[in-house]
Amino acid sequence: MDADQDGLLDRAEFISGMKKAVANDREGILQRLSVMVDAWMDICDTDGNGLIDEDEFQTMYIKSLGASPEDLKVAFAKLDTDGDGTLGREEIRRATEEYYTSEDPKAPGNWLFGAL
């Protein structure tokens, strides 16, 4: 993805690289992202019930990204597409796919990492 070979990956290079990767091997990329989702679920799901509640979501992103609780409250609501107060594995999978592949700026998956 490092198009200018400077040893760094800027935002434009990352976006371009992901678009090329998805265009060339969408299923392969989604399979690799699925591994990331599984790891994310294992880390976030501190009570082991197979679901991520808002507190678990906030703890993950406050500690790892330094995100604000207010932004994360909005993000969680956007990602909780069925409105049940939790994020299941399929909601996270769908959000991850949207985050990395969707051209729709209103896709819920755009909130995967909060308000970036």
Side-chain angles (χ1 to χ4, degrees):
M1 288 187 193
D2 183 14
D4 60 9
Q5 306 274 319
D6 67 354
L8 303 171
L9 190 64
D10 65 26
R11 186 176 195 278
E13 289 172 320
F14 179 79
I15 290 169
S16 175
M18 284 302 293
K19 285 182 178 181
K20 286 177 188 171
V22 169
N24 293 331
D25 185 17
R26 183 179 181 89
E27 290 307 312
I29 291 295
L30 294 178
Q31 184 178 19
R32 287 186 287 285
L33 289 173
S34 182
V35 172
M36 183 180 75
V37 168
D38 290 339
W40 189 88
M41 291 291 292
D42 290 345
I43 292 167
C44 285
D45 183 19
T46 57
D47 64 9
N49 69 351
L51 301 167
I52 305 303
D53 63 31
E54 190 172 344
D55 288 339
E56 290 168 323
F57 182 78
Q58 288 217 7
T59 298
M60 171 72 168
Y61 284 126
I62 289 169
K63 288 184 176 186
S64 65
L65 298 177
S68 80
E70 297 79 23
D71 286 345
L72 292 172
K73 186 170 194 60
V74 173
F76 187 86
K78 299 268 188 189
L79 294 171
D80 184 14
T81 55
D82 63 8
D84 70 354
T86 63
L87 301 176
R89 196 169 295 272
E90 285 312 307
E91 282 173 304
I92 296 299
R93 251 185 244 296
R94 189 171 39 255
T96 302
E97 180 176 350
E98 287 175 352
Y99 182 83
Y100 287 104
T101 66
S102 177
E103 297 288 331
D104 178 5
K106 295 182 180 180
N110 292 333
W111 289 89
L112 186 62
F113 298 107
L116 295 179

